[in-house]
Amino acid sequence: LRGAAEGTAVMSDLRIKLERYESKAAHCMKAAQEAPDEAGRAFYEELANYYDELAADFRRVLAKRTGVSLAAE
């Protein structure tokens, strides 16, 4: 039973991190849209892409562990 509980905790942690990276990506995209100049816009777009890629990695890991695809929302 302990292994199952640890597995559940790991899955929960992965989902929390996925949500965190999705939120950060959205926040950075909003900041990019509101940036007053091109340098600021480029910076936040790059950061948004970085967080989006991290979220995609977590989706892939979760999909492998659960056998269910988690499409980006």
Side-chain angles (χ1 to χ4, degrees):
L1 258 228
R2 182 176 175 181
E6 288 174 0
T8 302
V10 168
M11 293 299 288
S12 178
D13 187 49
L14 291 172
R15 285 189 180 96
I16 289 168
K17 288 179 180 176
L18 169 61
E19 291 170 6
R20 184 178 302 141
Y21 291 132
E22 288 173 335
S23 175
K24 286 184 179 206
H27 175 76
C28 288
M29 279 310 288
K30 183 176 181 189
Q33 292 168 352
E34 296 172 354
D37 55 35
E38 185 59 37
R41 189 169 16 265
F43 173 78
Y44 283 110
E45 284 175 353
E46 184 67 27
L47 234 120
N49 289 334
Y50 172 75
Y51 286 126
D52 194 46
E53 283 299 314
L54 284 174
D57 290 344
F58 275 84
R59 276 187 222 100
R60 283 189 286 276
V61 169
L62 283 163
K64 283 182 183 178
R65 287 178 165 259
T66 62
V68 177
S69 176
L70 298 173
E73 297 176 4

